[in-house]
Amino acid sequence: MFLSLQKKAAAALPLLLIGLTACNPVQFSSPSVKTSNTPEESPTPTVTPTTTPTTTPTTSPSPTPNLRDVTYSNTVEASNNKLDIVLVVDDSASMLADNQKLAAKLSSFVSKLQSTKNLDWQMCLTPTRGLPSGANSVSWGASIYWQSNSASPNTTLGLVLKRGASDLANVFAQTINYVGAGWAGSNDERAIKAAYHHVYNGDYKYSGVSGCYRADAAIAYIIISDEDERSIGGDKTQQYYKDEFYELENEDKPQVFVDYVKSTFGANKRFTVNSIIVKPGDSACMKTQDAGGAKSHYGVQYAALSNLTGGGIGSICESDFGTNLNLFVDKIVDSLSSVNLECTPVGTPVVKITPTLASLSYRTQGMSIVFDTPVPAGSKIEIKYQCDATRTPSSVDQPQAEVGFFTKIMNFFKNLF
């Protein structure tokens, strides 16, 4: 949202927009301101929940008027070590100091990504604002080029940073500095909407140009912001500036985003959303952020989305962001050993692994089943659980305002290739 000059007075130099969305590069000028366990012969699986359930689950739950039975069945593929990471970075005026900190503290995160055995990762980055795409329009969810030097913007590294690239710590630092903060029109922080459009315009089934999403890879989003979606998350009680309140639109809502990812990539797509935010209720962190001159807000919507997807939540007030991001690596790797469900299950799901593993525990986390030990390739996973029959997945429309324009852009790229 556009806030008063009291909140974020920041001028911006012109930026060069090269293409649009995840398949359309963007350039900025500088801103102003298993396990190896041997399968047992017993036909009865020994999968047990980490937390003992209060009721004993059965493989054939008794019908309940408001519940529906769901069965998930899939075989673990050997390619399940692939991970696509999307950084969603707040580039508003209040984030200038935080982004500089992020740029300086990413080396440990990069090192852990590189040292995580057999993790085939790649990464894209998008800001939380809409970028100009014409005289009277903006585009959300645009990927930007990774940068290797501060002398001048370049496109050599492309939109997708991959494992094995050289000098990664410097690339991360230069790119975050390149994104910067304090841009004009950046006061409407909408990380969920940006991620939504990043999916819409970067889906491998639709464009295939950017390469940000691979068909057989899990996805991990990392949101970094000192405010909530649309600054106050659509909650009038959190309003500080008179012009600060805006209603959340469909694309700003956590459950809508989850449903959209599932409808786009398939119900079995493994993904998490991780957040570096002012944690809800952390008044000390909020006070620290406010001392910078602009009002911060609790990241309520972002925390809800992270909890919903089994992601991690870190504090933006940590002195070293690398600590937060290293924790996210564990969550990200954990997501490779998880199964997404259609809903937050009612009761305790029943899990069966074939061939049976000697010992394996799991836990229900949001809309996911997370295994404490990775299930080896070739194993069949069957999960039976129940959903609230009164709730159906959100009906998520395609972004109508931009469809025609994006269709032209995609057709343009198709003609090139």
Side-chain angles (χ1 to χ4, degrees), residues 159-198:
L159 301 174
V160 185
L161 190 65
K162 297 179 180 291
R163 179 187 178 94
S166 60
D167 200 17
L168 280 179
N170 176 62
V171 170
F172 270 70
Q174 295 294 345
T175 304
I176 296 297
N177 283 327
Y178 174 60
V179 172
W183 295 97
S186 64
N187 294 331
D188 192 5
E189 301 92 339
R190 303 175 77 173
I192 299 177
K193 179 171 181 173
Y196 179 102
H197 281 265
H198 195 272

Short mmCIF file of all heavy atoms in Angstrom, two decimals, residues 159-198:
data_model
loop_
_atom_site.label_atom_id
_atom_site.label_comp_id
_atom_site.label_asym_id
_atom_site.label_seq_id
_atom_site.Cartn_x
_atom_site.Cartn_y
_atom_site.Cartn_z
N LEU A 159 18.64 -16.08 -14.59
CA LEU A 159 17.60 -15.98 -13.57
C LEU A 159 17.69 -17.08 -12.54
O LEU A 159 17.13 -16.95 -11.44
CB LEU A 159 16.22 -16.04 -14.23
CG LEU A 159 15.90 -14.96 -15.26
CD1 LEU A 159 14.56 -15.27 -15.91
CD2 LEU A 159 15.89 -13.60 -14.62
N VAL A 160 18.35 -18.19 -12.88
CA VAL A 160 18.37 -19.36 -12.01
C VAL A 160 19.79 -19.63 -11.53
O VAL A 160 20.69 -19.88 -12.34
CB VAL A 160 17.82 -20.61 -12.74
CG1 VAL A 160 17.73 -21.79 -11.77
CG2 VAL A 160 16.45 -20.32 -13.35
N LEU A 161 19.98 -19.54 -10.22
CA LEU A 161 21.27 -19.86 -9.63
C LEU A 161 21.27 -21.34 -9.27
O LEU A 161 20.36 -21.82 -8.60
CB LEU A 161 21.48 -19.01 -8.37
CG LEU A 161 22.88 -19.02 -7.75
CD1 LEU A 161 23.89 -18.40 -8.70
CD2 LEU A 161 22.87 -18.28 -6.42
N LYS A 162 22.31 -22.05 -9.69
CA LYS A 162 22.32 -23.51 -9.51
C LYS A 162 23.49 -23.96 -8.63
O LYS A 162 24.50 -23.28 -8.52
CB LYS A 162 22.43 -24.21 -10.88
CG LYS A 162 21.24 -23.96 -11.80
CD LYS A 162 21.44 -24.66 -13.13
CE LYS A 162 20.27 -24.44 -14.08
NZ LYS A 162 19.06 -25.13 -13.61
N ARG A 163 23.27 -25.10 -8.02
CA ARG A 163 24.34 -25.73 -7.23
C ARG A 163 25.58 -25.91 -8.10
O ARG A 163 25.48 -26.30 -9.27
CB ARG A 163 23.87 -27.09 -6.72
CG ARG A 163 24.93 -27.83 -5.89
CD ARG A 163 24.48 -29.24 -5.55
NE ARG A 163 25.52 -29.93 -4.80
CZ ARG A 163 25.58 -29.98 -3.48
NH1 ARG A 163 24.63 -29.42 -2.75
NH2 ARG A 163 26.56 -30.61 -2.86
N GLY A 164 26.71 -25.60 -7.54
CA GLY A 164 27.95 -25.76 -8.28
C GLY A 164 28.46 -24.47 -8.89
O GLY A 164 29.61 -24.41 -9.35
N ALA A 165 27.62 -23.42 -8.89
CA ALA A 165 28.08 -22.13 -9.41
C ALA A 165 29.22 -21.61 -8.53
O ALA A 165 29.24 -21.81 -7.32
CB ALA A 165 26.92 -21.14 -9.45
N SER A 166 30.16 -20.94 -9.13
CA SER A 166 31.33 -20.46 -8.39
C SER A 166 31.04 -19.16 -7.65
O SER A 166 30.15 -18.40 -8.03
CB SER A 166 32.51 -20.26 -9.35
OG SER A 166 32.18 -19.30 -10.34
N ASP A 167 31.78 -18.93 -6.58
CA ASP A 167 31.73 -17.67 -5.82
C ASP A 167 30.31 -17.34 -5.35
O ASP A 167 29.86 -16.20 -5.45
CB ASP A 167 32.28 -16.54 -6.69
CG ASP A 167 32.73 -15.33 -5.87
OD1 ASP A 167 32.93 -15.50 -4.65
OD2 ASP A 167 32.85 -14.25 -6.45
N LEU A 168 29.63 -18.34 -4.81
CA LEU A 168 28.22 -18.17 -4.46
C LEU A 168 27.98 -17.12 -3.38
O LEU A 168 27.02 -16.36 -3.45
CB LEU A 168 27.62 -19.51 -4.02
CG LEU A 168 27.22 -20.47 -5.14
CD1 LEU A 168 26.67 -21.75 -4.55
CD2 LEU A 168 26.20 -19.82 -6.05
N ALA A 169 28.85 -17.07 -2.38
CA ALA A 169 28.66 -16.09 -1.30
C ALA A 169 28.66 -14.67 -1.86
O ALA A 169 27.82 -13.84 -1.49
CB ALA A 169 29.74 -16.26 -0.24
N ASN A 170 29.57 -14.39 -2.77
CA ASN A 170 29.63 -13.07 -3.38
C ASN A 170 28.41 -12.81 -4.25
O ASN A 170 27.87 -11.70 -4.25
CB ASN A 170 30.90 -12.94 -4.23
CG ASN A 170 30.95 -11.61 -4.97
OD1 ASN A 170 30.99 -10.54 -4.37
ND2 ASN A 170 30.95 -11.69 -6.30
N VAL A 171 27.96 -13.83 -4.98
CA VAL A 171 26.78 -13.67 -5.84
C VAL A 171 25.55 -13.32 -5.00
O VAL A 171 24.79 -12.41 -5.35
CB VAL A 171 26.53 -14.96 -6.66
CG1 VAL A 171 25.17 -14.90 -7.36
CG2 VAL A 171 27.63 -15.15 -7.69
N PHE A 172 25.36 -14.02 -3.88
CA PHE A 172 24.24 -13.72 -3.00
C PHE A 172 24.32 -12.28 -2.50
O PHE A 172 23.34 -11.53 -2.54
CB PHE A 172 24.22 -14.67 -1.80
CG PHE A 172 23.42 -15.91 -2.03
CD1 PHE A 172 23.85 -16.89 -2.91
CD2 PHE A 172 22.23 -16.13 -1.36
CE1 PHE A 172 23.13 -18.05 -3.12
CE2 PHE A 172 21.49 -17.27 -1.57
CZ PHE A 172 21.93 -18.23 -2.45
N ALA A 173 25.48 -11.89 -2.02
CA ALA A 173 25.64 -10.55 -1.46
C ALA A 173 25.40 -9.48 -2.52
O ALA A 173 24.68 -8.49 -2.28
CB ALA A 173 27.04 -10.40 -0.87
N GLN A 174 25.99 -9.65 -3.70
CA GLN A 174 25.84 -8.65 -4.75
C GLN A 174 24.39 -8.56 -5.23
O GLN A 174 23.88 -7.47 -5.52
CB GLN A 174 26.75 -8.99 -5.94
CG GLN A 174 28.23 -8.92 -5.65
CD GLN A 174 28.71 -7.52 -5.33
OE1 GLN A 174 28.03 -6.52 -5.59
NE2 GLN A 174 29.89 -7.42 -4.74
N THR A 175 23.70 -9.69 -5.29
CA THR A 175 22.32 -9.68 -5.78
C THR A 175 21.37 -9.02 -4.78
O THR A 175 20.51 -8.23 -5.17
CB THR A 175 21.84 -11.12 -6.07
OG1 THR A 175 22.75 -11.73 -7.02
CG2 THR A 175 20.44 -11.13 -6.66
N ILE A 176 21.52 -9.31 -3.49
CA ILE A 176 20.67 -8.68 -2.48
C ILE A 176 20.94 -7.18 -2.45
O ILE A 176 20.00 -6.36 -2.37
CB ILE A 176 20.91 -9.29 -1.09
CG1 ILE A 176 20.50 -10.77 -1.08
CG2 ILE A 176 20.13 -8.53 -0.03
CD1 ILE A 176 19.03 -11.02 -1.35
N ASN A 177 22.19 -6.76 -2.54
CA ASN A 177 22.50 -5.33 -2.62
C ASN A 177 21.90 -4.71 -3.88
O ASN A 177 21.46 -3.55 -3.88
CB ASN A 177 24.01 -5.11 -2.59
CG ASN A 177 24.59 -5.26 -1.20
OD1 ASN A 177 23.94 -4.93 -0.21
ND2 ASN A 177 25.81 -5.77 -1.11
N TYR A 178 21.90 -5.47 -4.94
CA TYR A 178 21.36 -5.02 -6.22
C TYR A 178 19.85 -4.81 -6.13
O TYR A 178 19.30 -3.82 -6.63
CB TYR A 178 21.70 -6.08 -7.26
CG TYR A 178 21.12 -5.90 -8.63
CD1 TYR A 178 21.41 -4.78 -9.40
CD2 TYR A 178 20.32 -6.89 -9.19
CE1 TYR A 178 20.89 -4.64 -10.68
CE2 TYR A 178 19.81 -6.77 -10.47
CZ TYR A 178 20.11 -5.64 -11.21
OH TYR A 178 19.60 -5.52 -12.47
N VAL A 179 19.16 -5.72 -5.46
CA VAL A 179 17.72 -5.55 -5.22
C VAL A 179 17.48 -4.31 -4.38
O VAL A 179 16.61 -3.50 -4.66
CB VAL A 179 17.13 -6.79 -4.51
CG1 VAL A 179 15.69 -6.54 -4.09
CG2 VAL A 179 17.20 -8.00 -5.43
N GLY A 180 18.27 -4.16 -3.31
CA GLY A 180 18.20 -2.96 -2.49
C GLY A 180 16.89 -2.80 -1.75
O GLY A 180 16.16 -3.74 -1.49
N ALA A 181 16.57 -1.54 -1.43
CA ALA A 181 15.33 -1.20 -0.74
C ALA A 181 15.10 0.29 -0.92
O ALA A 181 15.99 1.04 -1.32
CB ALA A 181 15.42 -1.56 0.74
N GLY A 182 13.87 0.71 -0.62
CA GLY A 182 13.56 2.12 -0.71
C GLY A 182 13.03 2.57 -2.05
O GLY A 182 13.03 3.75 -2.36
N TRP A 183 12.56 1.65 -2.85
CA TRP A 183 12.07 1.99 -4.17
C TRP A 183 10.73 2.71 -4.10
O TRP A 183 9.89 2.41 -3.25
CB TRP A 183 11.90 0.74 -5.03
CG TRP A 183 13.20 0.06 -5.33
CD1 TRP A 183 13.74 -1.00 -4.67
CD2 TRP A 183 14.13 0.40 -6.35
NE1 TRP A 183 14.94 -1.35 -5.22
CE2 TRP A 183 15.20 -0.51 -6.25
CE3 TRP A 183 14.16 1.38 -7.34
CZ2 TRP A 183 16.29 -0.46 -7.12
CZ3 TRP A 183 15.24 1.42 -8.19
CH2 TRP A 183 16.29 0.52 -8.08
N ALA A 184 10.51 3.63 -5.00
CA ALA A 184 9.20 4.28 -5.10
C ALA A 184 8.15 3.25 -5.46
O ALA A 184 8.39 2.38 -6.29
CB ALA A 184 9.24 5.39 -6.17
N GLY A 185 7.01 3.31 -4.80
CA GLY A 185 5.96 2.35 -5.08
C GLY A 185 6.17 1.01 -4.40
O GLY A 185 5.51 0.04 -4.75
N SER A 186 7.10 0.95 -3.43
CA SER A 186 7.42 -0.33 -2.80
C SER A 186 6.71 -0.51 -1.47
O SER A 186 7.00 -1.44 -0.73
CB SER A 186 8.94 -0.44 -2.57
OG SER A 186 9.39 0.56 -1.67
N ASN A 187 5.79 0.38 -1.12
CA ASN A 187 5.17 0.34 0.20
C ASN A 187 4.01 -0.63 0.32
O ASN A 187 3.39 -0.72 1.36
CB ASN A 187 4.70 1.75 0.59
CG ASN A 187 5.88 2.70 0.77
OD1 ASN A 187 6.96 2.27 1.12
ND2 ASN A 187 5.66 3.97 0.51
N ASP A 188 3.69 -1.32 -0.75
CA ASP A 188 2.62 -2.30 -0.71
C ASP A 188 3.28 -3.68 -0.70
O ASP A 188 3.34 -4.36 -1.72
CB ASP A 188 1.71 -2.13 -1.92
CG ASP A 188 0.41 -2.93 -1.78
OD1 ASP A 188 0.21 -3.53 -0.71
OD2 ASP A 188 -0.37 -2.96 -2.74
N GLU A 189 3.78 -4.08 0.47
CA GLU A 189 4.51 -5.33 0.59
C GLU A 189 3.55 -6.51 0.47
O GLU A 189 2.69 -6.69 1.31
CB GLU A 189 5.25 -5.40 1.93
CG GLU A 189 6.25 -4.28 2.15
CD GLU A 189 5.67 -3.08 2.87
OE1 GLU A 189 4.43 -2.93 2.86
OE2 GLU A 189 6.44 -2.31 3.42
N ARG A 190 3.71 -7.33 -0.55
CA ARG A 190 2.77 -8.43 -0.79
C ARG A 190 3.55 -9.67 -1.22
O ARG A 190 3.53 -10.08 -2.39
CB ARG A 190 1.74 -8.02 -1.83
CG ARG A 190 0.97 -6.76 -1.44
CD ARG A 190 0.02 -6.26 -2.50
NE ARG A 190 -1.20 -7.05 -2.57
CZ ARG A 190 -2.25 -6.72 -3.34
NH1 ARG A 190 -2.21 -5.63 -4.08
NH2 ARG A 190 -3.32 -7.48 -3.35
N ALA A 191 4.22 -10.28 -0.26
CA ALA A 191 5.05 -11.45 -0.57
C ALA A 191 4.23 -12.63 -1.04
O ALA A 191 4.67 -13.39 -1.92
CB ALA A 191 5.87 -11.83 0.66
N ILE A 192 3.04 -12.82 -0.46
CA ILE A 192 2.21 -13.95 -0.88
C ILE A 192 1.72 -13.75 -2.31
O ILE A 192 1.75 -14.67 -3.14
CB ILE A 192 1.02 -14.16 0.08
CG1 ILE A 192 1.54 -14.47 1.49
CG2 ILE A 192 0.11 -15.29 -0.41
CD1 ILE A 192 0.45 -14.61 2.54
N LYS A 193 1.30 -12.54 -2.63
CA LYS A 193 0.87 -12.26 -3.99
C LYS A 193 2.04 -12.42 -4.97
O LYS A 193 1.87 -12.96 -6.07
CB LYS A 193 0.29 -10.85 -4.10
CG LYS A 193 -0.15 -10.50 -5.51
CD LYS A 193 -0.91 -9.18 -5.57
CE LYS A 193 -1.36 -8.90 -7.01
NZ LYS A 193 -2.24 -7.72 -7.12
N ALA A 194 3.22 -11.95 -4.57
CA ALA A 194 4.39 -12.09 -5.44
C ALA A 194 4.70 -13.56 -5.69
O ALA A 194 4.99 -13.96 -6.81
CB ALA A 194 5.59 -11.38 -4.81
N ALA A 195 4.63 -14.37 -4.63
CA ALA A 195 4.89 -15.81 -4.79
C ALA A 195 3.82 -16.45 -5.67
O ALA A 195 4.12 -17.32 -6.50
CB ALA A 195 4.93 -16.48 -3.42
N TYR A 196 2.57 -16.03 -5.49
CA TYR A 196 1.45 -16.53 -6.30
C TYR A 196 1.72 -16.30 -7.78
O TYR A 196 1.61 -17.20 -8.62
CB TYR A 196 0.18 -15.83 -5.86
CG TYR A 196 -1.08 -16.22 -6.61
CD1 TYR A 196 -2.01 -17.09 -6.04
CD2 TYR A 196 -1.37 -15.71 -7.87
CE1 TYR A 196 -3.17 -17.44 -6.71
CE2 TYR A 196 -2.52 -16.05 -8.55
CZ TYR A 196 -3.42 -16.91 -7.96
OH TYR A 196 -4.56 -17.25 -8.64
N HIS A 197 2.09 -15.06 -8.13
CA HIS A 197 2.34 -14.74 -9.54
C HIS A 197 3.63 -15.36 -10.04
O HIS A 197 3.77 -15.63 -11.23
CB HIS A 197 2.33 -13.22 -9.74
CG HIS A 197 0.95 -12.65 -9.81
ND1 HIS A 197 0.29 -12.42 -10.99
CD2 HIS A 197 0.09 -12.29 -8.82
CE1 HIS A 197 -0.92 -11.94 -10.74
NE2 HIS A 197 -1.06 -11.85 -9.43
N HIS A 198 4.59 -15.56 -9.14
CA HIS A 198 5.81 -16.25 -9.54
C HIS A 198 5.49 -17.66 -10.00
O HIS A 198 6.05 -18.16 -10.98
CB HIS A 198 6.80 -16.27 -8.38
CG HIS A 198 8.20 -16.62 -8.79
ND1 HIS A 198 8.66 -17.92 -8.86
CD2 HIS A 198 9.24 -15.83 -9.17
CE1 HIS A 198 9.91 -17.91 -9.25
NE2 HIS A 198 10.30 -16.67 -9.45
#
